[in-house]
Amino acid sequence: MTSTAAKAASDADLDAVFAPVHAEIAAGAVARETDRRLAHDEVRRLRAARFGALRVPVEYGGFGASVRQLFRQLIELAAADSNLPQALRVHFAFVEDQLLAEPGAGREHWLRAAAQGALVGNAITEPGTGAVDRYRTRLTPAGKGWLLNGTKYYSTGSLYADHILVAADRAGERVGVLVDADAEGVRQHDDWDGFGQRLTASGTTEFTDVAVPADRVLGPGYGVAGPTYSTAYLQLVQLAVLAGIAQRAEQDTREWVAGRRRGYTHSAADLPRHDPLVQQVIGRLSAAAFSARASVLAVADVLDAVLAAGAREESELIEVELAAAHAQLGVIDTVLAATTQLFEVGGASIVSEGLRLDRHWRNARTVSVHNPAIQKARAIGDHLLNGTRLPFAWSAGERTEGTAR
């Protein structure tokens, strides 16, 4: 598939390009996990294959993929290495914002940059602040431009990125700022210490007097009150990660059982693969991977329609937010249960450090807490019972009551 293709890529086209990349990335996943080696080489491979250009229109050099096609590939990438789709999460949201922007030189510039391999990371969340209306990262005037100062945490993907999307305060207004990752005054730290998703490059980023040209201030930033497609979109990337984890967990466990010769004295068969109880576990793992994948793609279909219509209708934005919230509750429970149950197929051998099957549960558990399910369940119930607006991305202090029907 080339950038001069006359039409958008089909699933077969995309698989031809990316399946070999996914396989190559998967081959080193356990070693990277063991050594805690950030996936710089793997990201370079994705950049060379122009994975970040999946949603970029063909006329700008991209693949012209639909939202469903994008999430189909994100699931496959997550099955290869669950860290990488999460690291690219804000990149794809940034591309989507450009697709929705008014036509102009800026929009075309960034779409073409993405088509050529440029990747965008994020620096949104701040340490010690619980809401987006309390950003301490500031943008202040400096000549014809601005200076950026502040500290961010959970800067997912930024160590892999060419540019960093920063949420900042400009005289009381929340804005998005795009800075070069290697700009003077940008200092990045790989200090994320979670027990899962260790290679997402989600650590601290410091900005000290970073010069920001006027055209790099992109307007209202993350957390502006009101319905938006982006919270559902960003949540769905996390669910694609979970679906990929389930897919890889089933494959890894099935392959381990298939090659296993030692069983239990009290098992129902001489070989584990013939044991009906072991077969049942594999069946459940397969069902978990299937249902998680189906849920993600179902929400992607809703997102496709909403984005194709310009993501302007409040009722449609509420619909896709609710769909993503429903999927979140179902997928999390399904995948966490599956990545726990997989250990039932073997004795002490299955917890070998060499297998690293524990990474599936650790990664799934870590992804699942990013947007706590108990809060999402309550928001769904309040919305359905009382018509209270879904929270989207704004802070608790700004949430306006009232019906959304």
Side-chain angles (χ1 to χ4, degrees):
M1 185 69 195
T2 68
S3 61
T4 57
K7 61 180 181 179
S10 67
D11 282 336
D13 294 329
L14 297 176
D15 287 343
V17 174
F18 295 115
V21 181
H22 297 328
E24 183 179 327
I25 289 171
V30 173
R32 287 191 299 277
E33 175 77 16
T34 300
D35 299 338
R36 204 190 183 284
R37 176 176 60 81
L38 290 179
H40 288 293
D41 291 341
E42 290 68 32
V43 171
R44 279 191 285 270
R45 185 74 179 87
L46 289 169
R47 183 184 279 108
R50 299 187 306 113
F51 191 82
L54 276 164
R55 283 283 289 155
V56 175
V58 173
E59 58 264 35
Y60 296 128
F63 292 95
S66 67
V67 175
R68 182 187 179 90
Q69 287 178 307
L70 166 64
F71 279 91
R72 183 174 175 273
Q73 290 299 324
L74 287 174
I75 292 170
E76 295 303 319
L77 179 58
D81 186 330
S82 67
N83 295 280
L84 294 177
Q86 185 180 351
L88 297 173
R89 186 168 71 131
V90 169
H91 169 84
F92 285 108
F94 174 78
V95 170
E96 210 66 55
D97 282 342
Q98 304 314 303
L99 293 174
L100 292 170
E102 292 295 324
R107 176 181 185 270
E108 180 173 347
H109 169 80
W110 290 114
L111 288 174
R112 290 194 182 279
Q116 293 165 12
L119 296 175
V120 176
N122 106 90
I124 294 172
T125 305
E126 299 191 5
T129 60
V132 295
D133 59 333
R134 294 193 287 273
Y135 286 150
R136 291 175 293 196
T137 298
R138 297 282 187 265
L139 199 62
T140 55
K144 294 182 178 180
W146 305 86
L147 288 179
L148 180 68
N149 285 277
T151 301
K152 297 287 188 175
Y153 195 50
Y154 303 126
S155 305
T156 306
S158 289
L159 280 165
Y160 300 131
D162 303 287
H163 311 287
I164 304 173
L165 185 61
V166 186
D169 180 279
R170 181 178 64 177
E173 175 192 17
R174 262 166 270 151
V175 294
V177 181
L178 197 65
V179 303
D180 296 337
D182 61 357
E184 185 176 352
V186 176
R187 187 179 181 192
Q188 298 176 276
H189 307 272
D190 179 27
D191 56 356
W192 161 242
D193 65 351
F195 62 59
Q197 295 296 94
R198 292 170 171 170
L199 309 180
T200 54
S202 296
T204 301
T205 306
E206 298 173 279
F207 302 94
T208 304
D209 289 336
V210 179
V212 178
D215 63 357
R216 291 295 190 91
V217 181
L218 305 181
Y222 180 83
V224 173
T228 172
Y229 83 92
S230 63
T231 46
Y233 194 103
L234 292 168
Q235 179 67 71
L236 195 60
V237 176
Q238 303 288 46
L239 301 186
V241 170
L242 287 166
I245 289 171
Q247 181 175 314
R248 179 59 59 180
E250 186 275 335
Q251 181 178 331
D252 286 352
T253 308
R254 174 163 42 87
E255 290 176 354
W256 186 81
V257 169
R260 181 85 169 149
R261 295 292 178 266
R262 181 171 178 269
Y264 298 106
T265 56
H266 53 287
S267 63
D270 291 334
L271 293 176
R273 70 174 185 270
H274 294 151
D275 188 319
L277 297 179
V278 172
Q279 293 168 354
Q280 183 183 69
V281 173
I282 298 300
R284 290 184 181 279
L285 290 175
S286 179
F290 175 87
S291 62
R293 181 187 186 91
S295 292
V296 170
L297 295 180
V299 180
D301 286 337
V302 181
L303 261 172
D304 249 330
V306 169
L307 291 167
R312 289 184 293 266
E313 292 295 326
E314 181 172 339
S315 61
E316 294 177 353
L317 296 172
I318 291 170
E319 178 188 5
V320 74
E321 181 72 8
L322 189 59
H326 281 143
Q328 178 186 357
L329 297 182
V331 170
I332 286 175
D333 286 350
T334 297
V335 176
L336 286 180
T339 53
T340 299
Q341 290 169 357
L342 69 85
F343 295 100
E344 299 296 334
V345 303
S349 297
I350 203 169
V351 300
S352 167
E353 287 276 1
L355 295 173
R356 284 285 178 184
L357 292 177
D358 62 302
R359 78 187 192 278
H360 298 312
W361 182 86
R362 287 188 291 100
N363 291 338
R365 180 68 276 179
T366 301
V367 169
S368 298
V369 299
H370 280 67
N371 299 291
I374 57 170
Q375 300 294 343
K376 195 60 65 73
R378 184 212 58 77
I380 292 172
D382 196 11
H383 172 75
L384 296 176
L385 287 170
N386 304 311
T388 304
R389 292 181 181 275
L390 293 169
F392 291 92
W394 63 82
S395 72
E398 292 179 315
R399 197 174 301 142
T400 56
E401 299 302 324
T403 64
R405 296 176 180 172

